[in-house]
Amino acid sequence: MALALALAFVSMPAEAQKKGKTPDEAAKAWAELYPEIEKSIKAPTFREKDYPLFKYGKKSKTQGYLYTQLINKVIDRCSREGGGRVVIPAGTWLTGPITLKSNVNLHLEEGATLLFTPDLKEYPLVRTRWEGMDCYNYQPMIYAYEQENIAITGKGTIDGGAEIENWWRMCGKTAKASSRSASDVRFSWSGTKRVCLWRNAAWVTVTACVCSSSIRSSARMC
């Protein structure tokens, strides 16, 4: 629902500009259209079945071990079997890009951190979007394409692992040019009930392309 609302917010002013609407007309469109759009949005619902991550694979003691394959394997299984919650337990889990599938709720328990690797070799080129334009680029850290009924929930943390030395260097930022660390260049998204913290965001952390009924539940990015 949050994602759908965000898309609505972006599209309505743009449409008003195309048609040459005055600020008053645009404001009226917001007042009349937004409530109708909001009514049409339905929060996703999921089968009441949990898929605990380490029920389907083992923890590794190897430093730098990536849990990409395991996480995506459990997501695939959950989706194939009718959906439910893929549960990430407390702890810090290094991973590459995650692909969400239909009817899957990616749930981070309190104390859980998904830490994304800065190794570009782990991110294949995929069809995605950049500032509303379709393009091919590195796969976002959490990605969905032509899926439906998906969610990211919980009280855990999603850490993009972005620093000036990796992702933010692509924006021309250098330690000399900026007195701020990459972790200070962040997005904010306030929520209330369940809080999923997003930090050290890279250029694109989450993208859902051509998807329906998607929600990032009560998320807070910083």
Side-chain angles (χ1 to χ4, degrees):
M1 182 166 62
L3 178 62
L5 285 174
L7 293 175
F9 291 162
V10 170
S11 62
M12 286 188 353
E15 192 63 26
Q17 287 178 358
K18 284 180 187 175
K19 295 182 179 179
K21 290 184 180 293
T22 66
D24 286 343
E25 289 172 326
K28 184 180 178 183
W30 274 92
E32 293 176 354
L33 290 176
Y34 171 72
E36 294 304 314
I37 291 172
E38 189 175 29
K39 285 178 189 175
S40 70
I41 297 170
K42 296 180 180 178
T45 57
F46 301 94
R47 186 171 65 129
E48 292 186 8
K49 180 173 175 60
D50 283 353
Y51 289 76
L53 183 64
F54 292 112
K55 180 180 177 181
Y56 303 95
K58 296 180 179 179
K59 298 177 185 178
S60 174
K61 294 181 180 179
T62 304
Q63 188 174 2
Y65 181 82
L66 293 175
Y67 288 91
T68 318
Q69 186 175 359
L70 175 59
I71 294 170
N72 285 315
K73 180 180 78 171
V74 179
I75 287 173
D76 285 344
R77 178 169 183 161
C78 176
S79 181
R80 286 197 316 270
E81 294 181 358
R85 288 198 318 175
V86 172
V87 181
I88 308 298
T92 297
W93 315 108
L94 185 65
T95 183
I98 293 170
T99 303
L100 279 180
K101 298 292 182 69
S102 293
N103 302 311
V104 173
N105 174 5
L106 181 63
H107 183 80
L108 279 69
E109 291 186 335
E110 190 168 4
T113 296
L114 284 176
L115 174 61
F116 286 87
T117 177
D119 186 354
L120 290 179
K121 296 194 297 295
E122 297 295 327
Y123 298 86
L125 295 181
V126 297
R127 184 176 178 179
T128 183
R129 282 184 179 149
W130 174 249
E131 296 186 349
M133 297 183 65
D134 287 351
C135 65
Y136 282 89
N137 213 327
Y138 291 116
Q139 179 172 337
M141 293 169 177
I142 301 178
Y143 175 73
Y145 184 77
E146 292 187 339
Q147 305 299 307
E148 60 183 16
N149 205 49
I150 55 179
I152 303 169
T153 62
K155 294 183 179 179
T157 298
I158 296 173
D159 191 329
E163 296 177 352
I164 290 171
E165 289 73 20
N166 48 60
W167 293 104
W168 284 102
R169 184 176 56 189
M170 297 181 186
C171 302
K173 291 190 177 294
T174 64
K176 247 182 210 182
S178 175
S179 61
R180 298 192 298 173
S181 69
S183 60
D184 290 323
V185 187
R186 299 171 178 177
F187 301 95
S188 62
W189 189 339
S190 295
T192 52
K193 198 173 180 182
R194 296 187 302 275
V195 176
C196 189
L197 174 66
W198 308 57
R199 68 184 181 204
N200 299 327
W203 65 284
V204 172
T205 303
V206 179
T207 297
C209 288
V210 200
C211 295
S212 61
S213 297
S214 55
I215 184 170
R216 292 173 282 196
S217 178
S218 299
R220 182 164 63 90
M221 291 182 181
C222 69

Coordinates of all heavy atoms in Angstrom, one line a residue, residues 103-169:
N103 N 3.0 -13.3 -3.2 CA 2.4 -13.8 -2.0 C 3.4 -14.1 -0.9 O 3.1 -14.9 0.0 CB 1.6 -15.1 -2.3 CG 0.5 -14.9 -3.3 OD1 -0.3 -14.0 -3.2 ND2 0.5 -15.7 -4.4
V104 N 4.5 -13.4 -0.9 CA 5.5 -13.5 0.1 C 5.7 -12.2 0.9 O 5.8 -11.1 0.4 CB 6.9 -13.8 -0.5 CG1 8.0 -13.8 0.5 CG2 6.9 -15.2 -1.2
N105 N 5.6 -12.4 2.2 CA 5.9 -11.4 3.2 C 7.3 -11.6 3.8 O 7.5 -12.6 4.5 CB 4.8 -11.4 4.3 CG 5.1 -10.4 5.4 OD1 6.1 -9.6 5.3 ND2 4.3 -10.4 6.5
L106 N 8.3 -10.8 3.4 CA 9.6 -10.9 4.0 C 9.6 -10.2 5.3 O 9.5 -9.0 5.4 CB 10.6 -10.2 3.0 CG 12.1 -10.2 3.5 CD1 12.6 -11.7 3.5 CD2 13.0 -9.4 2.5
H107 N 9.7 -11.0 6.4 CA 9.5 -10.5 7.7 C 10.8 -10.5 8.5 O 11.4 -11.6 8.7 CB 8.5 -11.3 8.5 CG 8.2 -10.8 9.8 ND1 7.4 -9.7 10.1 CD2 8.6 -11.3 11.1 CE1 7.3 -9.5 11.4 NE2 8.0 -10.4 12.0
L108 N 11.3 -9.4 9.0 CA 12.5 -9.3 9.8 C 12.1 -9.2 11.3 O 11.5 -8.2 11.7 CB 13.3 -8.1 9.4 CG 14.2 -8.2 8.1 CD1 13.3 -8.3 6.9 CD2 15.2 -7.0 8.0
E109 N 12.6 -10.2 12.0 CA 12.3 -10.2 13.5 C 13.1 -9.1 14.1 O 14.1 -8.6 13.6 CB 12.7 -11.5 14.1 CG 11.7 -12.6 13.7 CD 12.0 -13.9 14.4 OE1 13.2 -14.1 14.9 OE2 11.1 -14.7 14.6
E110 N 12.7 -8.7 15.3 CA 13.5 -7.7 16.1 C 14.9 -8.2 16.3 O 15.1 -9.3 16.7 CB 12.8 -7.4 17.4 CG 13.3 -6.2 18.1 CD 12.5 -5.7 19.3 OE1 11.5 -6.4 19.6 OE2 12.8 -4.7 19.9
G111 N 15.9 -7.3 16.0 CA 17.3 -7.7 16.2 C 17.9 -8.3 14.9 O 19.1 -8.6 14.9
A112 N 17.1 -8.5 13.9 CA 17.6 -9.0 12.6 C 18.1 -7.9 11.7 O 17.5 -6.8 11.6 CB 16.5 -9.8 11.8
T113 N 19.2 -8.1 11.1 CA 19.8 -7.2 10.1 C 20.1 -7.9 8.8 O 20.9 -8.8 8.8 CB 21.0 -6.4 10.7 OG1 20.6 -5.7 11.8 CG2 21.6 -5.5 9.6
L114 N 19.6 -7.4 7.7 CA 20.0 -7.8 6.4 C 21.1 -6.8 5.9 O 20.7 -5.6 5.7 CB 18.9 -7.9 5.4 CG 17.9 -9.0 5.5 CD1 16.7 -8.9 4.5 CD2 18.6 -10.4 5.3
L115 N 22.3 -7.2 5.8 CA 23.4 -6.3 5.5 C 23.8 -6.7 4.0 O 24.2 -7.8 3.7 CB 24.6 -6.5 6.4 CG 25.9 -5.7 6.0 CD1 25.6 -4.2 6.0 CD2 27.0 -6.1 7.0
F116 N 23.7 -5.7 3.1 CA 23.9 -6.0 1.7 C 25.4 -5.7 1.3 O 26.0 -4.7 1.7 CB 23.0 -5.1 0.8 CG 21.6 -5.7 0.8 CD1 20.7 -5.3 1.8 CD2 21.2 -6.6 -0.1 CE1 19.4 -5.8 1.9 CE2 19.9 -7.1 -0.1 CZ 19.0 -6.7 0.9
T117 N 25.9 -6.7 0.6 CA 27.3 -6.6 0.1 C 27.5 -5.4 -0.9 O 26.6 -5.2 -1.7 CB 27.8 -7.9 -0.5 OG1 29.1 -7.7 -1.0 CG2 26.9 -8.3 -1.7
P118 N 28.6 -4.7 -0.8 CA 28.9 -3.7 -1.8 C 29.6 -4.2 -3.1 O 29.9 -3.5 -4.0 CB 29.9 -2.8 -1.1 CG 30.6 -3.7 -0.2 CD 29.6 -4.7 0.3
D119 N 29.7 -5.6 -3.2 CA 30.4 -6.2 -4.3 C 29.5 -6.1 -5.5 O 28.5 -6.9 -5.6 CB 30.8 -7.6 -4.0 CG 31.6 -8.3 -5.1 OD1 31.8 -7.7 -6.1 OD2 32.1 -9.4 -4.8
L120 N 29.8 -5.3 -6.5 CA 29.0 -5.1 -7.7 C 28.8 -6.4 -8.5 O 27.8 -6.6 -9.2 CB 29.5 -4.0 -8.6 CG 29.5 -2.6 -8.1 CD1 30.1 -1.6 -9.1 CD2 28.0 -2.2 -7.8
K121 N 29.7 -7.3 -8.4 CA 29.6 -8.6 -9.1 C 28.4 -9.4 -8.7 O 27.9 -10.3 -9.4 CB 30.9 -9.4 -9.0 CG 32.2 -8.8 -9.5 CD 33.3 -9.8 -9.6 CE 33.7 -10.4 -8.3 NZ 34.3 -9.3 -7.4
E122 N 27.9 -9.1 -7.5 CA 26.7 -9.9 -7.0 C 25.4 -9.3 -7.5 O 24.4 -9.9 -7.3 CB 26.7 -9.8 -5.5 CG 27.9 -10.5 -4.8 CD 27.9 -12.0 -5.1 OE1 26.9 -12.6 -5.2 OE2 29.1 -12.5 -5.2
Y123 N 25.5 -8.2 -8.2 CA 24.2 -7.5 -8.7 C 24.1 -7.6 -10.2 O 24.7 -6.8 -10.9 CB 24.2 -6.0 -8.2 CG 24.2 -5.9 -6.7 CD1 25.4 -5.9 -6.0 CD2 23.0 -5.8 -6.0 CE1 25.4 -5.8 -4.6 CE2 23.0 -5.7 -4.6 CZ 24.2 -5.7 -3.9 OH 24.2 -5.6 -2.5
P124 N 23.3 -8.5 -10.7 CA 23.2 -8.6 -12.2 C 22.4 -7.4 -12.8 O 21.7 -6.7 -12.0 CB 22.4 -9.9 -12.4 CG 21.6 -10.0 -11.1 CD 22.5 -9.5 -10.0
L125 N 22.4 -7.2 -14.0 CA 21.6 -6.2 -14.7 C 20.2 -6.7 -14.9 O 20.0 -7.9 -15.3 CB 22.2 -5.8 -16.1 CG 23.6 -5.2 -16.0 CD1 24.1 -4.9 -17.5 CD2 23.6 -3.9 -15.2
V126 N 19.2 -5.9 -14.5 CA 17.8 -6.3 -14.6 C 17.0 -5.1 -15.1 O 17.5 -4.0 -15.1 CB 17.2 -6.7 -13.3 CG1 18.0 -8.0 -12.7 CG2 17.3 -5.6 -12.2
R127 N 15.8 -5.4 -15.6 CA 14.9 -4.3 -15.9 C 14.4 -3.7 -14.7 O 13.8 -4.4 -13.8 CB 13.8 -4.9 -16.8 CG 12.8 -3.7 -17.3 CD 11.8 -4.3 -18.2 NE 10.9 -3.2 -18.6 CZ 9.8 -3.4 -19.4 NH1 9.6 -4.6 -19.9 NH2 9.1 -2.4 -19.8
T128 N 14.6 -2.4 -14.5 CA 14.2 -1.7 -13.3 C 13.7 -0.3 -13.7 O 13.5 0.0 -14.8 CB 15.4 -1.7 -12.3 OG1 14.9 -1.1 -11.1 CG2 16.6 -1.0 -12.8
R129 N 13.7 0.6 -12.7 CA 13.3 2.0 -12.9 C 14.2 2.9 -12.2 O 14.7 2.6 -11.1 CB 11.9 2.2 -12.5 CG 10.8 1.7 -13.4 CD 9.4 2.0 -13.0 NE 8.5 1.5 -14.0 CZ 7.3 1.1 -13.7 NH1 6.8 1.2 -12.5 NH2 6.5 0.7 -14.7
W130 N 14.5 4.0 -12.8 CA 15.3 5.1 -12.2 C 14.6 6.4 -12.4 O 14.3 6.8 -13.5 CB 16.7 5.1 -12.8 CG 17.5 6.3 -12.3 CD1 17.9 7.4 -13.0 CD2 18.0 6.5 -11.0 NE1 18.6 8.2 -12.2 CE2 18.7 7.7 -11.0 CE3 18.0 5.7 -9.8 CZ2 19.4 8.2 -9.8 CZ3 18.6 6.2 -8.7 CH2 19.3 7.4 -8.7
E131 N 14.1 7.0 -11.3 CA 13.4 8.2 -11.3 C 12.2 8.1 -12.3 O 11.9 9.1 -13.0 CB 14.3 9.4 -11.6 CG 15.4 9.6 -10.5 CD 16.2 10.8 -10.7 OE1 16.1 11.4 -11.8 OE2 16.9 11.2 -9.8
G132 N 11.5 7.0 -12.2 CA 10.3 6.8 -13.0 C 10.5 6.4 -14.4 O 9.5 6.1 -15.2
M133 N 11.8 6.2 -14.8 CA 12.0 5.8 -16.2 C 12.5 4.3 -16.2 O 13.3 3.9 -15.4 CB 13.1 6.6 -16.8 CG 12.7 8.1 -17.0 SD 14.0 9.1 -17.8 CE 14.0 8.4 -19.4
D134 N 11.9 3.5 -17.1 CA 12.4 2.1 -17.3 C 13.8 2.1 -17.8 O 14.2 2.9 -18.7 CB 11.5 1.4 -18.3 CG 10.1 1.1 -17.7 OD1 9.9 1.3 -16.5 OD2 9.2 0.7 -18.5
C135 N 14.6 1.2 -17.3 CA 16.0 1.0 -17.8 C 16.5 -0.3 -17.3 O 15.8 -1.1 -16.6 CB 16.8 2.2 -17.2 SG 17.0 2.1 -15.4
Y136 N 17.7 -0.6 -17.8 CA 18.4 -1.8 -17.3 C 19.6 -1.3 -16.4 O 20.3 -0.4 -16.9 CB 18.9 -2.7 -18.5 CG 17.9 -3.5 -19.1 CD1 17.1 -3.0 -20.1 CD2 17.6 -4.8 -18.6 CE1 16.1 -3.8 -20.7 CE2 16.6 -5.6 -19.1 CZ 15.8 -5.1 -20.2 OH 14.8 -5.8 -20.7
N137 N 19.7 -1.8 -15.2 CA 20.7 -1.4 -14.3 C 21.0 -2.5 -13.3 O 20.4 -3.6 -13.4 CB 20.2 -0.1 -13.6 CG 21.4 0.8 -13.3 OD1 22.5 0.4 -13.1 ND2 21.1 2.1 -13.4
Y138 N 21.9 -2.2 -12.4 CA 22.2 -3.2 -11.3 C 20.9 -3.5 -10.6 O 20.1 -2.7 -10.3 CB 23.2 -2.6 -10.3 CG 24.6 -2.5 -10.9 CD1 25.2 -1.2 -11.0 CD2 25.3 -3.6 -11.3 CE1 26.4 -1.1 -11.5 CE2 26.6 -3.4 -11.8 CZ 27.2 -2.2 -11.9 OH 28.4 -2.0 -12.4
Q139 N 20.7 -4.8 -10.3 CA 19.5 -5.2 -9.5 C 19.5 -4.5 -8.2 O 20.5 -4.5 -7.4 CB 19.5 -6.7 -9.3 CG 18.3 -7.2 -8.5 CD 18.2 -8.7 -8.4 OE1 18.7 -9.4 -9.3 NE2 17.5 -9.2 -7.4
P140 N 18.3 -3.9 -7.9 CA 18.2 -3.3 -6.5 C 18.4 -4.4 -5.5 O 18.2 -5.6 -5.7 CB 16.7 -2.8 -6.6 CG 16.5 -2.5 -8.0 CD 17.2 -3.6 -8.7
M141 N 18.7 -3.9 -4.3 CA 18.9 -4.9 -3.2 C 17.7 -5.7 -2.9 O 17.9 -6.9 -2.6 CB 19.4 -4.1 -2.0 CG 20.8 -3.5 -2.2 SD 21.3 -2.3 -1.0 CE 22.9 -1.9 -1.7
I142 N 16.6 -5.2 -2.9 CA 15.3 -6.0 -2.8 C 14.5 -5.6 -4.0 O 14.2 -4.5 -4.2 CB 14.6 -5.7 -1.5 CG1 15.5 -6.0 -0.3 CG2 13.3 -6.5 -1.4 CD1 14.8 -5.7 1.1
Y143 N 14.2 -6.6 -4.8 CA 13.6 -6.4 -6.1 C 12.4 -7.3 -6.4 O 12.4 -8.5 -5.9 CB 14.7 -6.7 -7.2 CG 14.3 -6.6 -8.6 CD1 14.1 -5.4 -9.3 CD2 14.2 -7.8 -9.4 CE1 13.8 -5.4 -10.6 CE2 13.9 -7.8 -10.7 CZ 13.7 -6.5 -11.3 OH 13.4 -6.5 -12.7
A144 N 11.4 -6.8 -7.1 CA 10.3 -7.6 -7.6 C 9.9 -7.1 -8.9 O 9.9 -5.9 -9.2 CB 9.1 -7.5 -6.6
Y145 N 9.6 -8.0 -9.8 CA 9.2 -7.6 -11.2 C 7.9 -8.5 -11.6 O 8.0 -9.7 -11.5 CB 10.3 -7.8 -12.2 CG 9.9 -7.4 -13.6 CD1 9.9 -6.0 -13.9 CD2 9.5 -8.3 -14.6 CE1 9.6 -5.6 -15.2 CE2 9.2 -7.9 -15.8 CZ 9.2 -6.5 -16.1 OH 8.9 -6.1 -17.4
E146 N 6.9 -7.8 -11.9 CA 5.6 -8.5 -12.3 C 5.1 -9.5 -11.2 O 4.7 -10.6 -11.6 CB 5.8 -9.1 -13.7 CG 6.0 -8.1 -14.8 CD 6.0 -8.8 -16.2 OE1 6.2 -10.0 -16.3 OE2 5.7 -8.1 -17.2
Q147 N 5.2 -9.1 -10.0 CA 4.7 -9.9 -8.9 C 3.5 -9.2 -8.2 O 3.2 -8.0 -8.5 CB 5.8 -10.1 -7.8 CG 7.1 -10.7 -8.4 CD 6.9 -12.1 -9.0 OE1 6.4 -13.0 -8.4 NE2 7.3 -12.2 -10.3
E148 N 2.8 -9.9 -7.4 CA 1.7 -9.3 -6.7 C 1.6 -9.8 -5.3 O 2.2 -10.9 -4.9 CB 0.4 -9.7 -7.4 CG 0.1 -11.1 -7.5 CD -1.2 -11.4 -8.3 OE1 -1.6 -10.5 -9.1 OE2 -1.7 -12.5 -8.2
N149 N 1.0 -9.0 -4.4 CA 0.8 -9.4 -3.0 C 2.1 -9.7 -2.3 O 2.4 -10.8 -1.9 CB -0.1 -10.6 -3.0 CG -0.9 -10.7 -1.6 OD1 -1.5 -9.7 -1.2 ND2 -0.9 -11.9 -1.0
I150 N 2.9 -8.7 -2.2 CA 4.2 -8.8 -1.5 C 4.3 -7.8 -0.4 O 3.7 -6.7 -0.4 CB 5.4 -8.6 -2.5 CG1 5.2 -7.3 -3.3 CG2 5.4 -9.8 -3.5 CD1 6.3 -7.0 -4.3
A151 N 5.2 -8.0 0.5 CA 5.4 -7.1 1.7 C 6.8 -7.3 2.3 O 7.4 -8.3 2.2 CB 4.3 -7.3 2.7
I152 N 7.2 -6.2 3.0 CA 8.4 -6.3 3.8 C 7.9 -5.7 5.2 O 7.5 -4.6 5.3 CB 9.6 -5.4 3.3 CG1 10.0 -5.9 1.9 CG2 10.7 -5.5 4.3 CD1 10.9 -4.9 1.2
T153 N 8.0 -6.5 6.2 CA 7.5 -6.1 7.5 C 8.5 -6.5 8.6 O 9.5 -7.2 8.4 CB 6.1 -6.8 7.8 OG1 6.3 -8.2 7.9 CG2 5.1 -6.5 6.8
G154 N 8.2 -6.1 9.9 CA 8.9 -6.5 11.0 C 9.7 -5.4 11.7 O 9.6 -4.2 11.3
K155 N 10.4 -5.7 12.7 CA 11.1 -4.7 13.5 C 12.6 -4.8 13.3 O 13.4 -4.2 14.1 CB 10.8 -4.9 15.0 CG 9.3 -4.6 15.4 CD 9.1 -4.7 16.9 CE 7.7 -4.4 17.2 NZ 7.4 -4.5 18.7
G156 N 13.0 -5.4 12.3 CA 14.5 -5.6 12.0 C 15.0 -4.4 11.2 O 14.4 -3.4 11.1
T157 N 16.2 -4.6 10.7 CA 17.0 -3.5 10.0 C 17.4 -4.0 8.6 O 17.9 -5.1 8.5 CB 18.2 -3.1 10.8 OG1 17.8 -2.6 12.1 CG2 19.0 -2.0 10.1
I158 N 17.2 -3.1 7.6 CA 17.8 -3.4 6.3 C 18.9 -2.4 6.1 O 18.6 -1.2 6.0 CB 16.7 -3.3 5.2 CG1 15.6 -4.4 5.4 CG2 17.3 -3.4 3.8 CD1 14.4 -4.2 4.5
D159 N 20.1 -2.9 6.0 CA 21.3 -2.0 5.9 C 21.9 -2.1 4.5 O 22.4 -3.2 4.1 CB 22.3 -2.5 6.9 CG 23.5 -1.5 7.1 OD1 23.8 -0.8 6.1 OD2 24.0 -1.4 8.2
G160 N 21.8 -1.0 3.7 CA 22.3 -1.1 2.3 C 23.8 -1.1 2.3 O 24.4 -1.4 1.2
G161 N 24.5 -0.9 3.4 CA 26.0 -1.0 3.4 C 26.6 0.1 2.5 O 27.8 0.0 2.2
A162 N 25.9 1.2 2.2 CA 26.5 2.2 1.3 C 27.5 3.1 2.1 O 27.2 3.5 3.2 CB 25.4 3.1 0.8
E163 N 28.6 3.3 1.4 CA 29.6 4.2 1.9 C 30.2 5.0 0.7 O 29.9 4.6 -0.5 CB 30.8 3.5 2.6 CG 30.3 2.7 3.8 CD 31.5 1.9 4.4 OE1 32.6 1.8 3.8 OE2 31.3 1.4 5.5
I164 N 30.9 6.1 1.0 CA 31.5 6.8 -0.1 C 32.4 6.0 -0.9 O 32.6 6.1 -2.1 CB 32.2 8.1 0.5 CG1 31.2 9.1 1.0 CG2 33.1 8.7 -0.6 CD1 31.8 10.2 1.8
E165 N 33.1 5.0 -0.3 CA 34.0 4.1 -1.0 C 33.4 3.2 -2.0 O 34.0 2.6 -2.8 CB 34.8 3.3 0.0 CG 35.9 4.1 0.8 CD 35.2 5.0 1.9 OE1 34.0 4.7 2.2 OE2 35.8 6.0 2.3
N166 N 32.0 2.9 -1.9 CA 31.4 2.0 -2.8 C 30.3 2.7 -3.6 O 30.5 3.4 -4.6 CB 31.0 0.7 -2.1 CG 30.2 1.0 -0.8 OD1 29.2 1.6 -0.8 ND2 30.7 0.4 0.3
W167 N 29.0 2.5 -3.1 CA 27.9 3.0 -3.9 C 27.8 4.5 -4.1 O 27.6 4.9 -5.2 CB 26.6 2.6 -3.2 CG 26.3 1.1 -3.2 CD1 26.5 0.3 -2.1 CD2 25.9 0.3 -4.2 NE1 26.2 -1.0 -2.4 CE2 25.8 -1.1 -3.7 CE3 25.6 0.5 -5.6 CZ2 25.4 -2.1 -4.5 CZ3 25.2 -0.6 -6.4 CH2 25.1 -1.9 -5.9
W168 N 28.1 5.3 -3.1 CA 28.0 6.7 -3.2 C 29.1 7.3 -4.1 O 29.0 8.5 -4.6 CB 27.9 7.4 -1.9 CG 26.6 7.2 -1.3 CD1 26.3 6.3 -0.3 CD2 25.4 7.8 -1.6 NE1 24.9 6.3 0.0 CE2 24.3 7.3 -0.8 CE3 25.0 8.8 -2.5 CZ2 23.0 7.7 -0.9 CZ3 23.7 9.2 -2.6 CH2 22.7 8.7 -1.8
R169 N 30.1 6.6 -4.4 CA 31.2 7.0 -5.3 C 30.6 7.2 -6.7 O 31.0 8.1 -7.5 CB 32.3 6.0 -5.3 CG 33.5 6.4 -6.2 CD 34.6 5.4 -6.1 NE 34.1 4.1 -6.4 CZ 34.7 2.9 -6.2 NH1 35.9 2.9 -5.7 NH2 34.2 1.8 -6.6

